[in-house]
Amino acid sequence: MTVIFISIVLISAFIAGYSVHRMAAGAGLPRLYVLLLCLGAALLGALHQALLSIGNYYDFRSLYYPLLITAATVVLGTLVLPWALAYDALTLILSRFFRNRFKSQSFKLWRHRLTRLFILIYVPLALFATYEGVRVPEIKAVPLSYSALPEELSGLKVVQVTDIHASPLFLQKRTAAIVEKVNALKPDLILVTGDQSDGTPAARAHSLEPLKNLQAPLGTYFVSGNHEYITDFKEWMDYYRKEGLKLLLNDNVTLKVGAATLAVAGLPDDSAPSRGFEGPSPDQALKGTQNADFTILLSHQPRHAAEYAAREDAPDLILSGHTHGGQISYLKGVTANANSGFVEGLYQLRHTLLYVSDGSGLWCGYVPRLGTSGEITLFTLSSK
C-alpha cells in the first residue's frame, strides 16, 4: 500500500505541476511566476491525495474546504494534460521544420494568445466539472417492464444508491441529503450496492450515520464494494452488525409482497479474496431464489453480469455501480473496456436486465464529471 500511496501522490503532483507549467509558460508569464505556479500546483495535487489517504484513518472533517481547492487543482491538471502534451508535441515539430519562423516575435505572440484562450476555457471547465462531481445527486427514474410479472409486484418502487464514497470531502451533510431524497420517494425497497465509504469505521462512522434513517417497508440491504476492503473489512462487517444494517454477502432474503415473493441476493466484491475474505459465489448467493417470483442480484462491479445472466437460476435484475459512468464522456470507452463492456445504464442480457448506475458519489481522489451526473435511481416495476 505504501508504494501505491507514494505513486498516486507523485503522479498527481506531476500532472498538476506539468499542466499548470505549460499553461503559465505558454501564456508568456515571467519565469519566476511560472516556477511558483508550477510548484504550487504540484504541491496542491500531492497534498490532495496525501490528505485523502491519511483521511482513511482519521476524521478530517475540518479540511472540507481546503480539499475542494486541492480537488479542483487535480481536475484542472488532468483536463489540461492532453492539451499540454499535444502542445509540446506540436511545438517540437514546428521548431524543427520552421525554426526561424518559430522563433519570431509574431509567432510567440500567437502562441501566447492561444494559450490564454485555453486558460479561459479550461479553468471554468475544471471548476464546473468539480462542482458536478461533488454536488448531491439527482433522482433518475428508470421504469422496468417484465412479462409475467405478478400483479402484486407491478408498481413496486425500488431505489438504488451506490458509490457514496464517504470521505473527508463527502461528509455527513451530503449523506443526509441523499437519505432525505431517497425517503421522499417513499420506496418499497432500498438497495445500496457498495463503496459506501473510503476509510475505517472509526473515521467514517459519523458520515455514514444517516444511512440508519433510510426507510422502506421491505427493508434496506447493502453489499460491499472494492473500497471497503482497502482498510479493514472485518471492522466494517462488525460495524454493519452493530448498527443493524443488513449486509448481504453470498446470501439472500425472500420478501413477501402480498401473495408474491421477491428475492434479494447479494455478492461480496470481486476484490475480497485479495484481502483474505470470501469472494463472490453466485451459487451461494442465488441458492433457493429460483422459487421466487422475482429476483434481484446486487453486485458492485458489473464485469461478471453476463455470466450471472447465463445461469439457469439467473436473476431478473442485476444492480451494479463501480464505474461512475466513466465520469467524463471521452473516458466512457476506457471504463467500459475495463468492465466487460458495461459502463452505465440499462443492458439486456438474455432474460436478465442489468443496470449500472453512474453512482451517488465517486472516489474523491478524482472527482470530475463531464457528460455524466451522479444519481439516485428509482426503479418502478411493471408488467408488459
Side-chain angles (χ1 to χ4, degrees):
M1 286 301 294
T2 302
V3 174
I4 296 173
F5 165 71
I6 292 174
S7 299
I8 291 174
V9 169
L10 291 178
I11 290 170
S12 185
F14 170 76
I15 291 175
Y18 171 75
S19 298
V20 169
H21 176 273
R22 299 317 299 138
M23 287 193 295
L29 295 180
R31 288 186 179 180
L32 178 60
Y33 290 174
V34 171
L35 178 62
L36 291 175
L37 286 170
C38 171
L39 292 176
L43 178 62
L44 290 175
L47 189 62
H48 183 71
Q49 305 301 348
L51 288 174
L52 282 178
S53 294
I54 298 170
N56 283 339
Y57 303 92
Y58 299 96
D59 189 352
F60 280 173
R61 276 176 267 173
S62 59
L63 295 178
Y64 175 76
Y65 289 106
L67 278 168
L68 273 181
I69 296 171
T70 57
T73 304
V74 171
V75 171
L76 176 63
T78 54
L79 292 181
V80 169
L81 182 64
W83 168 81
L85 292 172
Y87 178 92
D88 281 350
L90 185 61
T91 298
L92 181 63
I93 294 170
L94 292 175
S95 64
R96 290 203 172 196
F97 291 95
F98 305 99
R99 186 172 301 172
N100 294 331
R101 192 171 179 182
F102 185 77
K103 291 181 179 181
S104 68
Q105 192 62 34
S106 61
F107 199 84
K108 286 183 180 180
L109 184 61
W110 177 83
R111 285 192 297 138
H112 293 165
R113 287 174 177 171
L114 182 62
T115 303
R116 289 165 189 168
L117 175 62
F118 273 99
I119 292 172
L120 288 174
I121 294 172
Y122 275 99
V123 171
L125 189 65
L127 294 175
F128 173 75
T130 302
Y131 167 76
E132 283 293 296
V134 303
R135 71 181 177 89
V136 177
E138 299 295 332
I139 306 298
K140 183 176 181 180
V142 180
L144 299 177
S145 297
Y146 289 88
S147 58
L149 185 76
E151 184 179 345
E152 292 91 337
L153 297 180
S154 186
L156 193 80
K157 294 196 293 185
V158 179
V159 166
Q160 179 192 12
V161 176
T162 190
D163 296 88
I164 295 172
H165 283 283
S167 74
L169 191 55
F170 286 170
L171 302 175
Q172 185 189 69
K173 183 178 179 180
R174 188 176 191 276
T175 309
I178 291 172
V179 169
E180 184 179 354
K181 284 194 171 191
V182 171
N183 287 341
L185 296 171
K186 300 188 182 305
D188 298 295
L189 177 66
I190 301 171
L191 305 172
V192 188
T193 50
D195 279 2
Q196 282 76 259
S197 177
D198 287 323
T200 63
R204 297 284 88 82
H206 179 266
S207 295
L208 290 184
E209 190 175 344
L211 294 181
K212 294 185 290 185
N213 299 324
L214 288 168
Q215 298 173 3
L218 295 177
T220 300
Y221 297 91
F222 298 77
V223 292
S224 59
N226 54 305
H227 279 247
E228 277 87 359
Y229 294 92
I230 290 175
T231 51
D232 187 344
F233 187 62
K234 185 180 182 304
E235 289 185 17
W236 276 116
M237 287 192 291
D238 293 342
Y239 169 84
Y240 277 87
R241 292 190 192 101
K242 178 184 175 184
E243 300 299 332
L245 303 175
K246 299 166 186 174
L247 190 63
L248 296 176
L249 301 176
N250 290 328
D251 200 2
N252 66 74
V253 295
T254 300
L255 308 170
K256 292 289 289 183
V257 184
T261 54
L262 169 67
V264 179
L267 295 169
D269 187 71
D270 292 351
S271 62
S274 67
R275 299 289 179 173
F277 294 92
E278 184 182 16
S281 171
D283 289 339
Q284 287 180 247
L286 293 169
K287 186 177 180 180
T289 60
Q290 59 265 45
N291 298 319
D293 293 304
F294 193 87
T295 301
I296 303 173
L297 177 64
L298 311 181
S299 175
H300 177 66
Q301 300 191 40
R303 66 184 65 190
H304 298 299
E307 299 170 30
Y308 303 150
R311 296 172 57 91
E312 287 188 13
D313 57 355
D316 299 283
L317 175 63
I318 302 173
L319 297 182
S320 296
H322 183 64
T323 66
H324 309 154
Q327 294 188 217
I328 300 176
S329 295
Y330 57 76
L331 295 179
K332 288 185 180 182
V334 176
T335 306
N337 287 335
N339 291 276
S340 303
F342 307 120
V343 61
E344 66 174 349
L346 203 59
Y347 300 86
Q348 180 77 55
L349 305 174
R350 298 193 178 193
H351 301 295
T352 299
L353 287 177
L354 162 69
Y355 188 82
V356 184
S357 169
D358 280 5
S360 309
L362 36 72
W363 175 57
C364 289
Y366 187 57
V367 301
R369 282 193 184 273
L370 286 173
T372 66
S373 297
E375 65 178 84
I376 296 165
T377 320
L378 171 63
F379 302 101
T380 304
L381 303 186
S382 65
S383 55
K384 289 183 179 178

